[in-house]
Amino acid sequence: HCALSLESVTYRYSSRQAAVNGLDLDLGPGILGLLGPNGAGKSTLMRMLATMTRPSAGRITWNGIDIAREPDALRTSLGYLPQDFGVYPALSAREFLGFLAAVKGLSGAKARDRVDACLSMVGLGDAADRRLGDFSGGMRQRVGIAQALLNDPALLIVDEPTVGLDPEERMRFRHLLTDLAGERLVILSTHIVSDVEASATSIAVMTTGELRFHGTPEQLIARA
Ligand code: ADP
Ligand code: ADP
């Protein structure tokens, strides 16, 4: 089950203009492309959805449960790839994910199987024992997706994952997210329209903290 609902969600870093201002959204399985220029409020919104920070006003519910009251209801089904995700260059992909699995409470054969499954899902099965320091930017981002998948999340939040990737890796990343969506809700923030116009189930456009549009890619193109 994955129903995410935002009701008048607002976030203020200080008393000046809200970074996120009165957002209403109802989301289910599929890919939401969250589109907007730098400073639009995308990361702030993503951090609230990932329960890293709480709204100043308004409500976020996950399957009907207010995540301000019960953050664990969402955290147990959450995978999050933050914008500033970093890897330990001296570790292999398998070692790094094994470490993160241990942090998440997975251990033993179960953890090893899950790590290998997640690396395969992102197309890094053959690179599992290579040093992360030798990985390309696109490969590192796929490691980021692999770690977000460790707990088989129903909600996958990825913040600007394609920054700095070349067009081929961006395309590969799009296909990966499409494969992963299925019964999950994937929320992908980006300022690059082509990251989402073909693959997103719906697109939300934000500027200066406000939601300007939410609809299908076709509806967005028809408006342009
Ligand atoms: P985006 O991810 O779309 O680039 P952000 O959520 O990072 O947007 O930023 C939205 C607004 O909030 C911007 O005006 C930004 O300057 C401001 N902002 C972001 N982080 C902070 C912070 N830690 N303290 C104060 N203002 C912030
Ligand atoms: P945490 O509990 O995440 O380490 P805090 O000390 O800020 O961080 O948490 C204070 C209380 O608020 C705790 O009960 C925590 O579960 C809850 N909480 C923390 N972040 C959120 C959030 N984004 N949404 C709702 N509740 C939260």
Side-chain angles (χ1 to χ4, degrees):
H1 204 54
C2 73
L4 184 67
S5 176
L6 285 71
E7 298 162 34
S8 308
V9 171
T10 294
Y11 191 88
R12 292 176 196 282
Y13 287 98
S14 63
S15 55
R16 33 177 209 96
Q17 197 190 355
V20 172
N21 197 0
L23 245 66
D24 293 302
L25 269 177
D26 279 300
L27 304 169
I31 300 178
L32 172 74
L34 179 60
L35 202 57
N38 284 332
K42 303 185 297 298
S43 290
T44 303
L45 178 60
M46 303 294 246
R47 283 197 295 270
M48 287 192 278
L49 297 176
T51 74
M52 309 299 287
T53 183
R54 269 171 289 183
S56 314
R59 207 161 75 108
I60 301 172
T61 64
W62 172 248
N63 298 325
I65 298 169
D66 185 339
I67 65 167
R69 292 174 197 276
E70 280 184 56
D72 285 346
L74 177 58
R75 283 174 187 165
T76 51
S77 28
L78 173 74
Y80 179 42
L81 175 56
Q83 200 175 350
D84 53 4
F85 178 74
V87 299
Y88 293 115
L91 298 185
S92 72
R94 188 176 263 142
E95 288 166 339
F96 180 59
L97 256 71
F99 163 72
L100 293 178
V103 170
K104 293 183 187 197
L106 287 166
S107 62
K110 205 175 157 187
R112 283 195 296 277
D113 290 349
R114 188 64 197 158
V115 164
D116 287 348
C118 290
L119 285 171
S120 294
M121 275 191 270
V122 302
L124 290 173
D126 292 338
D129 291 316
R130 284 170 51 192
R131 283 178 76 251
L132 292 169
D134 297 331
F135 277 26
S136 69
M139 290 168 83
R140 282 182 207 192
Q141 286 299 69
R142 283 187 275 138
V143 171
I145 295 292
Q147 65 79 30
L149 291 172
L150 283 169
N151 61 336
D152 194 16
L155 174 62
L156 180 61
I157 294 182
V158 287
D159 196 354
E160 297 262 13
T162 64
V163 168
L165 303 192
D166 64 36
E168 196 182 313
E169 274 287 8
R170 282 221 301 277
M171 189 176 71
R172 178 162 193 162
F173 211 86
R174 278 205 296 281
H175 291 154
L176 172 61
L177 292 183
T178 304
D179 290 343
L180 292 175
E183 294 302 299
R184 295 188 168 96
L185 170 58
V186 177
I187 302 183
L188 162 73
S189 83
T190 181
H191 59 271
I192 302 168
V193 180
S194 62
D195 277 348
V196 291
E197 65 185 350
S199 52
T201 315
S202 72
I203 295 181
V205 179
M206 280 181 84
T207 57
T208 56
E210 310 223 358
L211 184 67
R212 307 292 175 181
F213 170 86
H214 181 222
T216 63
E218 294 74 25
Q219 288 169 330
L220 182 64
I221 290 161
R223 265 172 51 130

